[in-house]
Amino acid sequence: MSDDRDAVRLVKQRLEKQRLVKQRLEKQRLEKQWREKLTPEQYRIARMKGTERAFSGEYCHHDGKGTYTCVCCGALLFRSEHKYDSGSGWPSFYQPGAPENVGTEEDRSMFMTRTEIHCTACGAHLGHVFDDGPRPTGERYCVNSASLAFEPDP
C-alpha cells in the first residue's frame, strides 16, 4: 500500500515540476513579446513597476479630450473628463474610466505602504492611488505617462 502512495506522490511531484517549467517558459515568452512591443522606458515602468520622473511624462500637462488606454494591451483605463492637475507631476484622475480594468494591491516598496494600481487585463503597473483627491471620489489616481496611450475623441 505504501508503494502505491509513494508512486502517486512521485507522479504528482513530476507533474508539478512540469507545470512549473511550462509556466516559467510561458512567462519568458511573454516578457520577450513585451520587450519587442514596448520602448525600454515603457517596459521598465509598465512591466518592471518603475516610475518616471515627476513632470517628465508625455501626459502630465496633456489636456486633449479622449480616453487613456493601457500601453501594453489597449484596455480602457481613464477618461479625459476625470483628469485634473494635482500638481504632483504625474497625470492624475479622480476615478477610472473603466473601474473593472484598474486593479489595486498593497505596495510596500520605497520604505512606505501605498496602494499600487495596475491593468487587470495584462498586469501592467500604472502607478498608485491616494486618498487626497478632489470630489466626488476623494481619490487621486497618480499614473505614469509611460503606462498610457491616448485615443482622442472623434
Side-chain angles (χ1 to χ4, degrees), residues 31-63:
E31 289 307 310
K32 182 176 186 258
Q33 289 176 342
W34 290 131
R35 284 187 185 276
E36 290 170 356
K37 175 183 170 121
L38 304 172
T39 67
E41 181 74 347
Q42 289 169 331
Y43 181 85
R44 182 183 71 79
I45 292 168
R47 305 313 310 172
M48 304 301 294
K49 297 186 177 190
T51 301
E52 63 197 7
R53 287 182 299 110
F55 301 100
S56 69
E58 177 180 1
Y59 301 120
C60 182
H61 298 293
H62 185 259
D63 61 0

Side-chain angles (χ1 to χ4, degrees), residues 20-86:
L20 291 173
V21 167
K22 185 177 179 181
Q23 188 177 43
R24 187 173 63 241
L25 291 172
E26 177 66 11
K27 183 177 180 185
Q28 289 171 349
R29 183 185 65 78
L30 288 173
E31 289 307 310
K32 182 176 186 258
Q33 289 176 342
W34 290 131
R35 284 187 185 276
E36 290 170 356
K37 175 183 170 121
L38 304 172
T39 67
E41 181 74 347
Q42 289 169 331
Y43 181 85
R44 182 183 71 79
I45 292 168
R47 305 313 310 172
M48 304 301 294
K49 297 186 177 190
T51 301
E52 63 197 7
R53 287 182 299 110
F55 301 100
S56 69
E58 177 180 1
Y59 301 120
C60 182
H61 298 293
H62 185 259
D63 61 0
K65 301 295 181 207
T67 57
Y68 294 87
T69 60
C70 177
V71 73
C72 295
C73 71
L76 169 66
L77 300 172
F78 299 97
R79 298 185 187 282
S80 59
E81 60 262 27
H82 304 139
K83 188 175 187 289
Y84 71 101
D85 184 359
S86 68

Side-chain angles (χ1 to χ4, degrees), residues 66-124:
T67 57
Y68 294 87
T69 60
C70 177
V71 73
C72 295
C73 71
L76 169 66
L77 300 172
F78 299 97
R79 298 185 187 282
S80 59
E81 60 262 27
H82 304 139
K83 188 175 187 289
Y84 71 101
D85 184 359
S86 68
S88 67
W90 289 273
S92 297
F93 304 84
Y94 61 82
Q95 70 185 41
E100 67 277 10
N101 293 344
V102 180
T104 62
E105 65 184 67
E106 188 176 88
D107 175 3
R108 291 183 170 265
S109 65
M110 309 290 288
F111 306 105
M112 62 183 101
T113 301
R114 301 175 292 177
T115 303
E116 177 195 349
I117 54 175
H118 59 269
C119 174
T120 58
C122 72

